[in-house]
């Protein structure tokens, strides 16, 4: 939040806030309590895997990942592990930050995911998108989510800021995860 000094309202929503997906109002995302810890995932061909572990395992009919991609789009694989020792694999596409796909949130300003620096390019972007996956196992809590970078355009990098559970259940908060990259 406020990463562009001349425009303090730009960037991600305030730390600790909950946002509603513009295109799917039943998708709520709770953002990390601060933006100083390792509280987001960056996936690329150079950093191809990460693991999210919920603080409290809960059953969900679907998961929605709040994402952005630089030099994208990118395809992200996800293996969801359940408490009953089963797992299921799926994938989602992270559109490029200027795509015309249904928008989850307009971040206003841009962080370059390659250099981790601030770009002032086109302050109306990036746009954040939802990468949604349905779960086959809906009666066993999710204990871990393994993410993998499958492919991207050029030097694409995908960022994941938060995860939301299905509409029938409470949202998963970014700060409810231990992130291992």
């Amino acid at each position: 939040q406020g990463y562009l000094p001349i425009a303090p309202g730009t960037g991600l929503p305030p730390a600790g806030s909950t946002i509603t997906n513009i295109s799917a109002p039943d998708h709520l995302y709770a953002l990390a309590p601060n933006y100083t810890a390792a509280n987001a995932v960056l996936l690329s061909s150079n950093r191809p895997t990460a693991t999210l572990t919920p603080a409290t395992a809960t059953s969900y009919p679907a998961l929605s990942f709040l994402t952005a991609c630089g030099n994208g789009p990118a395809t992200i694989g996800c293996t969801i592990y359940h408490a009953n020792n089963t797992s299921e694999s799926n994938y989602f596409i992270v559109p490029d930050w200027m795509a015309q796909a249904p928008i989850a949130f307009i971040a206003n300003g841009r962080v370059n995911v390659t250099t981790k620096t601030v770009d002032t390019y086109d302050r109306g972007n990036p746009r954040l998108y939802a990468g949604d996956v349905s779960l086959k196992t809906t009666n066993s809590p999710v204990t871990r989510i393994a993410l993998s970078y499958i492919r991207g355009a050029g030097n694409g990098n995908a960022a994941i800021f938060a995860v939301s559970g299905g509409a029938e259940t409470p949202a998963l908060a970014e700060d409810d995860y231990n992130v291992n990259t």
Side-chain angles (χ1 to χ4, degrees):
Q1 171 69 8
Y3 57 73
L4 184 59
I6 61 171
T10 63
L12 293 171
S17 65
T18 298
I19 63 168
T20 301
N21 183 320
I22 295 168
S23 301
D26 62 341
H27 292 50
L28 302 175
Y29 306 95
L31 294 164
N34 64 64
Y35 291 142
T36 58
N39 51 29
V41 170
L42 178 65
L43 297 168
S44 69
S45 58
N46 295 328
R47 190 179 306 187
T49 62
T51 301
L52 302 175
T53 306
T56 304
T58 306
S59 298
Y60 298 101
L63 296 174
S64 181
F65 300 88
L66 184 63
T67 66
C69 195
N71 303 320
T75 303
I76 305 300
C78 58
T79 302
I80 296 99
Y81 295 89
H82 298 276
N84 66 0
N85 293 321
T86 63
S87 65
E88 55 187 285
S89 296
N90 212 319
Y91 73 93
F92 57 92
I93 305 226
V94 181
D96 184 70
W97 61 275
M98 299 244 344
Q100 297 303 311
I103 299 166
F105 183 78
I106 298 174
N108 297 318
R110 183 175 98 143
V111 173
N112 185 315
V113 294
T114 302
T115 63
K116 298 183 183 175
T117 59
V118 175
D119 289 347
T120 57
Y121 181 78
D122 193 355
R123 291 186 203 152
N125 289 300
R127 300 173 179 124
L128 303 183
Y129 301 94
D132 295 337
V133 295
S134 294
L135 301 182
K136 294 175 187 159
T137 304
T138 60
N139 60 351
S140 181
V142 173
T143 59
R144 181 170 47 109
I145 304 166
L147 300 168
S148 60
Y149 185 86
I150 296 174
R151 68 178 167 273
N155 295 319
N157 293 276
I160 298 173
F161 299 103
V163 183
S164 177
E168 299 90 338
T169 57
L172 296 173
E174 173 84 16
D175 58 326
D176 284 345
Y177 284 87
N178 297 316
V179 177
N180 299 315
T181 58

